[in-house]
Amino acid sequence: MAQQETDEQTQINDGFVVDTEDCEARELAHSERGTVRPITVVGNPVLHRECKDVTEFDDELAKLIDDMFASQKAAEGVGLAANQIGVDLKVFVYDCPDDEGVRHTGVVVNPVLQELPPELRALDESNEGCLSVPTAYAELARPDYAEVHGQDAQGNPVKVRGTGYFARCLQHETDHLYGFLYIDKLSKRDRKDALRQMEEGTPRYETVPNA
């Protein structure tokens, strides 16, 4: 069995995962099994192309997910995509609060961000950062609601939804797996400023030097 029973996300009637229960235990189980890997940074080719679909839901995928949780925790992040540790696969993990302080913890494989109807397209302009652009932050407008469809670690279909900060996380991590960083959505001036912040800062976690 690729994942332990404590890792599974339960689903409610409308098909959305319940990712707010046993968060600490589930995150701890993953991170204790996992190995911390260094974070790739902007300029690394794996971050700038669409990742491959996951087709094998096996122990290797389970190990990757464990390593992603361990790496996310070590870097003090709230979300991490597989290409951020150099793996060219469509997987992201998250351990992120929403604007009400409710913790959400889980994994999405082969995520697809859903198009929102006009009534759900209210924008939230807040600061955003990224482990792959360490020490840099910039304001970026994103919808304050997000819905992602994909699969869990066993290949079962899942749907995840979030509001506020958690919605931003879901959008941010899905973007990663399609080759986009948040700075790609900034104006030229703001992108330049973010890269300057990164150049002047010192990351608090291990990164992979670009060749």
Side-chain angles (χ1 to χ4, degrees):
M1 193 169 168
Q3 293 280 82
Q4 296 181 0
E5 289 182 1
T6 55
D7 300 334
E8 295 178 358
Q9 298 156 288
T10 58
Q11 296 196 35
I12 55 180
N13 291 335
D14 56 1
F16 288 94
V17 297
V18 177
D19 57 6
T20 57
E21 297 178 353
D22 303 318
C23 290
E24 184 172 358
R26 290 188 291 112
E27 190 282 330
L28 186 62
H30 281 299
S31 59
E32 286 189 339
R33 292 193 301 262
T35 300
V36 175
R37 304 196 203 181
I39 304 295
T40 56
V41 297
V42 58
N44 189 305
V46 75
L47 293 174
H48 302 283
R49 61 173 183 260
E50 182 175 343
C51 293
K52 297 175 183 175
D53 290 341
V54 173
T55 57
E56 299 292 333
F57 296 83
D58 53 13
D59 288 341
E60 187 173 341
L61 176 62
K63 174 58 177 169
L64 171 63
I65 291 169
D66 289 343
D67 288 356
M68 290 173 67
F69 271 104
S71 302
Q72 172 182 256
K73 186 172 187 176
E76 300 178 9
V78 296
L80 188 75
N83 53 356
Q84 291 185 273
I85 56 170
V87 178
D88 186 13
L89 288 174
K90 285 181 181 166
V91 186
F92 75 77
V93 301
Y94 59 90
D95 187 17
C96 182
D98 59 28
D99 284 358
E100 285 68 51
V102 177
R103 183 176 179 179
H104 299 259
T105 303
V107 56
V108 185
V109 180
N110 299 326
V112 177
L113 188 65
Q114 300 302 295
E115 186 73 22
L116 297 179
E119 63 269 21
L120 292 177
R121 291 180 188 163
L123 292 180
D124 168 38
E125 188 157 350
S126 297
N127 249 13
E128 189 161 332
C130 179
L131 297 178
S132 292
V133 193
T135 74
Y137 296 89
E139 282 198 350
L140 178 63
R142 287 189 187 268
D144 64 1
Y145 173 85
E147 185 176 310
V148 173
H149 295 188
Q151 295 165 281
D152 65 13
Q154 291 77 38
N156 303 309
V158 293
K159 296 190 292 183
V160 182
R161 60 185 170 188
T163 58
Y165 187 55
F166 181 43
R168 183 174 294 272
C169 175
L170 293 174
Q171 294 168 81
H172 181 113
E173 301 308 330
T174 302
D175 281 350
H176 266 304
L177 300 175
Y178 290 85
F180 299 102
L181 290 88
Y182 85 98
I183 60 171
D184 296 329
K185 298 177 179 290
L186 300 175
S187 68
K188 289 183 179 179
R189 179 178 179 178
D190 288 346
R191 176 188 170 93
K192 183 177 180 180
D193 182 63
L195 293 174
R196 177 193 57 77
Q197 292 179 55
M198 174 180 163
E199 185 177 348
E200 293 176 355
T202 301
R204 61 183 179 273
Y205 44 84
E206 184 181 2
T207 60
V208 179
N210 291 330

